[in-house]
Amino acid sequence: MIRRPEPCRNFQRGSCQYGDRCKFLHTQPQTRSNPFGFGSQSSSRFSQTSQQPKPNTFGFGVQDATQLSGVNNFGARNQNPSKLFENKWIRPTATTNSTSSQETVTQKQAAVHECTDPESCKRQIIEDLKNEAPLWKLTCYGHWKYLPCDIVGDISYEELRANAYEDAKRGLPLQSIVERERSLWNSKVAEFDNLVRSPYVIRNSGPTAVNQFSISSNTLTVSPLSNKPPTFSSFSQLGTSASVAPIMSSGSQISGTPSNTVFIQPSFPKNKSQISGGSEMKFGAFGTVGGQLPMQQFGSSPGPSNSGRTNGTFVGEPPLQQFGSSPRPSKSNITNGFMAMGSEQAPLHSIPQFFSSSNQSSGSLDGPKAVQSASNQAAAGDKQDIGADDTIWLKEWDIGEIPEEEPPERVCLDINY
Amino acid sequence: MSGAPPSGSGRELANPPSDGISNLRFSNHSDHLLVSSWDKSVRLYDASANVLKGEFMHGGPVLDCCFHDDSSGFSASADFTVRRYVFSSGKEDILGRHDAPVRCVEYSYAAGQVITGSWDKTLKCWDPRGASGPEHTLVGTYLQPERVYSLSLVGHRLVVATAGRHVNVYDLRNMSQPEQRRESSLKYQTRCVRCYPNGTGFALSSVEGRVAMEFFDLSETSQSKKYAFKCHRKSEAGRDTVYPVNAIAFHPIYGTFATGGCDGFVNVWDGNNKKRLYQYSKYPSSIAALSFSKDGRLLAVASSYTFEEGDIPHEQDAIYLRNINEVEVKPKPKAIPAAAPL
């Protein structure tokens, strides 16, 4: 194969998807950073799995290092060609991380992935989400298999169903339930979109965006969010900030998930009612799953204007929609299920505001949450406290049960386990 | 039922629950099948005779059930309670409560305890011999990083899979802290975890149409054997529709396992040789649960829409019982002549 006499940039970074076919030279990268740091978590767990670059037949966890061809590993990638599987199995072997190749040195479990190269992580994320987007969207996601999630706040279909049953028992009209679910769905999808859009962010750099919020919460801004403010700016501030600020603290910890952390933010007033059906939603949260608390509700009382706050509709949807307006420009996703109701618009009766806001924000949900949380928990201050623990704390997901404990406690609590 | 699958799917169980099925289990001593459902009932069937033997009601949808011995069992419900039943006398009582819907229940013969996992992020252990009431029966509460989605036991090991892709492995003899804390090796939400019958590891499935095979032993040699594979996907026009894998069940004798997904298919895999052994014909609805009988001759398949696409019209929920042929579940080792008589 003819190669141009230049070293291949991808290969220098750790992996090149073209492998032998590549037009550029695959010389050993000169600069290798050997990050060990990040990987520590994983390595600590599996301390022994050393992966030698070759080895394992089934490579799971082995670093593909050396070359990981490209981002997609999903297909049998393993360096050991022999063995393998004969049939049908497509082995995904794990993540392809370009950076990991450098790690081979450490022999740690493949997990030593430090995410030092946002580009490759981003590629990985994009590949994953494009080719393997699962049918069920309310899921968490981690781009590197042993690392904590990039997008947290997953909900299982049983939880959604149990909440819906509860709500129905309480007399909530089916339409509102569906609306709520739909909003959740949309906001989650928006979160994923956001992740794809913004490059992988190494843990937090600070909230920046948060400040924009200034949402009712006062302090919310604290949340360090590393997110990429720029992306957010496109959406209404709120929206973006929301995403950005994973609401407080949460964002930062979660490795860069751009906004999502917010999604989970617990701050909801603990409504045992689970699905917030109309209950207080203080934050408009659906009650359900903490999701999206339309923040709008919160400060702004939605009003069509979302003026900046409410999210600019994430993803470009017309901000409005506030009450009454049809919730959400239908996203294709929605059609999937939740639509069943057929009533797209969902008059939103019981939860008018909440839902509507949510709709809009669906994207921005993240933002609102944060806001709320701030208000809620007064967290603003709290939130900030969360430091490294945030991730755990943030991950907490309450369906309609927002813990009211002070964040710090919660954090401590989590640590204990 | 509409669109009944051809008889190749097995015979249908009579008197199924009226709403979705959350889990089903065969007894370790006979062909009794315990089924928990969203219609708030727990039903006991005699699978061979195809007869309903008993029904118990809860206050809310029942999310999981398990046998204690052939005459009694436990169930976990969304009404936050864990109940125990004595089938012969029809008696039931509440063993204990959680602060949120209880998602999983298991009984450990090794420890003589009932273990439950809930969406309140805790794991609780109960002593079933105690009188009713949490003060008598609760042995311990263990906080988890997130809501518990699935549990599995083998020997003295317990594996807990929670939201946020956490996996904790406990030693039942020392529950004060997990023996291992891991993140799932899959990238998306975990659906189900099941331990291998030989106790060396566990299989984890997720919503992204993948199953990961993991091992408890942290040594390099063992960890090098772990892998993951894709399954339950439908390829059309270059894109895959990726279905969640809801259920995993191990064959008690051969150690091969079946997986069931939202695509309505049940596949049987040989984990050691990394092959698929068989695929059963498509069921009318998503597979919510699977269970092999104790002798491995029957497989109960719960074909019950799991609401992964929200509230849409769906096929009737039903339970099918298949008679298993050896060829479907027996591993075929890499060929050595004269091996594997079939």
Side-chain angles (χ1 to χ4, degrees), chain B residues 87-103:
Chain B
F87 303 131
S88 42
S89 58
K91 281 212 307 223
E92 59 168 291
D93 65 340
I94 293 181
L95 191 63
R97 280 173 211 278
H98 272 266
D99 297 326
V102 192
R103 178 69 182 88

Side-chain angles (χ1 to χ4, degrees), chain B residues 3-29:
Chain B
S7 56
S9 301
R11 62 169 193 279
E12 228 180 291
L13 197 63
N15 276 326
S18 54
D19 198 347
I21 291 140
S22 51
N23 201 6
L24 42 67
R25 293 235 206 189
F26 268 106
S27 156
N28 281 335
H29 309 280

Side-chain angles (χ1 to χ4, degrees), chain A residues 205-390:
Chain A
S205 16
T208 52
V210 180
N211 293 319
Q212 294 180 7
F213 270 117
S214 59
I215 294 180
S216 46
S217 46
N218 5 297
T219 41
L220 281 182
T221 50
V222 233
S223 45
L225 266 173
S226 46
N227 314 129
K228 304 294 179 121
T231 39
F232 291 101
S233 49
S234 51
F235 302 119
S236 37
Q237 284 147 359
L238 205 85
T240 42
S241 32
S243 27
V244 173
I247 303 213
M248 351 219 222
S249 54
S250 44
S252 44
Q253 305 335 341
I254 309 269
S255 41
T257 28
S259 40
N260 297 299
T261 37
V262 181
F263 193 76
I264 308 190
Q265 280 310 334
S267 46
F268 298 157
K270 206 155 193 169
N271 287 349
K272 251 350 181 78
S273 51
Q274 301 183 355
I275 313 204
S276 56
S279 41
E280 255 355 42
M281 306 248 268
K282 270 201 194 186
F283 300 95
F286 280 112
T288 40
V289 246
Q292 332 174 339
L293 286 171
M295 72 159 197
Q296 284 110 27
Q297 302 286 342
F298 199 75
S300 49
S301 88
S305 51
N306 304 299
S307 44
R309 263 322 194 155
T310 44
N311 55 100
T313 50
F314 217 73
V315 205
E317 287 174 58
L320 76 65
Q321 307 270 15
Q322 302 251 291
F323 308 103
S325 37
S326 45
R328 298 299 67 199
S330 40
K331 278 200 181 195
S332 48
N333 297 326
I334 307 189
T335 38
N336 248 356
F338 306 133
M339 294 291 279
M341 292 298 301
S343 45
E344 289 267 314
Q345 327 293 314
L348 300 176
H349 356 273
S350 10
I351 320 184
Q353 300 163 345
F354 300 107
F355 282 102
S356 43
S357 358
S358 49
N359 291 339
Q360 306 162 342
S361 34
S362 43
S364 47
L365 284 174
D366 299 31
K369 299 235 195 110
V371 179
Q372 296 186 345
S373 30
S375 44
N376 239 345
Q377 311 255 335
D382 299 339
K383 303 295 172 66
Q384 300 165 354
D385 295 344
I386 310 187
D389 298 325
D390 285 352

Side-chain angles (χ1 to χ4, degrees), chain B residues 24 35 62 92 126-127 132 140 187-188 219 242 244 274 303-304:
Chain B
L24 42 67
V35 177
V62 191
E92 59 168 291
W126 312 88
D127 181 346
S132 178
K187 299 186 183 185
Y188 290 88
S219 71
V242 174
K274 300 193 171 60
S303 162
S304 162

